């Protein structure tokens, strides 16, 4: 299916399932090269990273552990103040090589907050792995250690990513056309 409509928007296929799986396997090899014998702790961020995480884990052959986390956003006491809290990470992070798995890094605000909050659990090292990365939007200074695809500043869905709740189950990545 080359084009689809979700809610009010049209999307066209931009990254095929075959291309995704090829990159996922390559990322797994890179991670294993860097982290072998470290028993890294993967921290996939829900909800968007679930499909990427599943395929990535199937390619990882070294010992590793996995704990899904979630970033809960809510408005603080002042309406303009957005507070993000990390849920799911715990003391098992202490002394470990931790690999955050994200679906997409856009401005970098989410990973910055995640890394800040993870520091309190004293990890040995924090690495960032994201399927998609929008370099033209990125305002952060953290390195994205493992990246599947650099993409333009267009809204994408599929392979875990949603548009207003829909599209997460698509096997490919689709880009909005208007
Ligand atoms: P950041 O904090 O890096 O600006 O944004 C990260 C979050 O914004 C992602 O985890 C994702 O939820 C959302 N996001 C950013 N760009 C896109 C996009 O193109 N499509 C979808 N579905 N979500 C996006």
């Amino acid at each position: 299916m080359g084009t689809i409509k979700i809610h009010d928007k049209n999307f066209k296929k931009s990254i095929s399932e075959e291309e995704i799986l090829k990159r996922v396997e390559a990322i797994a090899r890179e991670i294993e090269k860097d982290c072998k014998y470290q028993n890294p702790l993967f921290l996939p961020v829900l909800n968007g990273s679930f499909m990427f995480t599943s395929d990535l884990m199937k390619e990882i052959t070294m010992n590793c552990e996995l704990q899904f986390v979630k970033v809960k956003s809510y408005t603080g006491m002042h309406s303009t103040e957005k507070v993000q809290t990390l849920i799911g990470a715990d003391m098992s992070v202490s002394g470990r090589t931790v690999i955050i798995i994200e679906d997409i890094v856009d401005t970098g605000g989410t990973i910055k907050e995640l890394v800040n909050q993870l520091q309190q659990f004293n990890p040995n090292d924090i690495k960032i792995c994201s399927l998609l990365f929008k370099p033209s939007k990125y305002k952060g200074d953290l390195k994205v250690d493992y990246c599947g695809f650099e993409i333009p500043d267009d809204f994408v869905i599929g392979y875990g990513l949603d548009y207003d709740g829909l599209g997460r189950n698509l096997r490919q990545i689709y880009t909005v056309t208007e």
Side-chain angles (χ1 to χ4, degrees):
M1 243 193 327
T3 59
I4 51 168
K5 183 164 186 181
I6 288 198
H7 296 304
D8 56 332
K9 295 199 188 307
N10 292 306
F11 295 83
K12 68 170 189 312
K13 187 160 86 181
S14 52
I15 310 177
S16 70
E17 183 179 18
E18 199 187 355
E19 289 172 279
I20 294 170
L21 294 178
K22 219 169 127 191
R23 276 302 295 147
V24 169
E25 192 191 344
I27 291 172
R29 296 290 78 76
E30 279 181 60
I31 293 175
E32 288 199 325
K33 189 157 76 63
D34 295 346
C35 305
K36 204 149 196 169
Y37 310 119
Q38 293 177 22
N39 184 18
L41 174 64
F42 288 96
L43 294 183
V45 185
L46 288 170
N47 293 321
S49 73
F50 78 95
M51 203 177 280
F52 176 37
T53 300
S54 168
D55 285 335
L56 184 67
M57 287 302 115
K58 287 183 233 168
E59 297 295 341
I60 298 278
T61 55
M62 65 181 169
N63 278 348
C64 63
E65 292 173 40
L66 183 137
Q67 172 71 58
F68 278 96
V69 295
K70 195 158 179 130
V71 182
K72 190 168 188 283
S73 301
Y74 55 95
T75 308
M77 294 210 304
H78 307 288
S79 57
T80 51
E81 189 186 352
K82 205 169 155 211
V83 185
Q84 296 193 315
T85 310
L86 175 64
I87 302 174
D90 57 28
M91 291 311 287
S92 62
V93 165
S94 175
R96 305 287 296 276
T97 296
V98 170
I99 305 174
I100 296 172
I101 306 184
E102 267 285 18
D103 50 354
I104 187 163
V105 173
D106 188 83
T107 64
T110 306
I111 51 167
K112 184 175 175 207
E113 195 54 43
L114 267 169
V115 167
N116 277 345
Q117 297 205 23
L118 271 177
Q119 299 287 11
Q120 67 182 304
F121 299 109
N122 298 315
N124 179 47
D125 190 17
I126 302 178
K127 293 183 184 294
I128 297 162
C129 171
S130 182
L131 178 72
L132 303 172
F133 178 44
K134 292 181 180 171
S136 62
K137 289 283 291 297
Y138 192 59
K139 295 198 198 84
D141 44 20
L142 293 166
K143 182 169 164 239
V144 178
D145 300 274
Y146 310 104
C147 164
F149 301 90
E150 292 194 355
I151 60 167
D153 176 20
D154 295 318
F155 188 76
V156 293
I157 57 161
Y159 199 70
L161 290 131
D162 74 311
Y163 171 42
D164 214 1
L166 297 182
R168 292 193 197 277
N169 53 318
L170 296 164
R171 305 170 81 105
Q172 301 96 348
I173 306 280
Y174 290 79
T175 302
V176 73
T177 56
E178 70 272 348

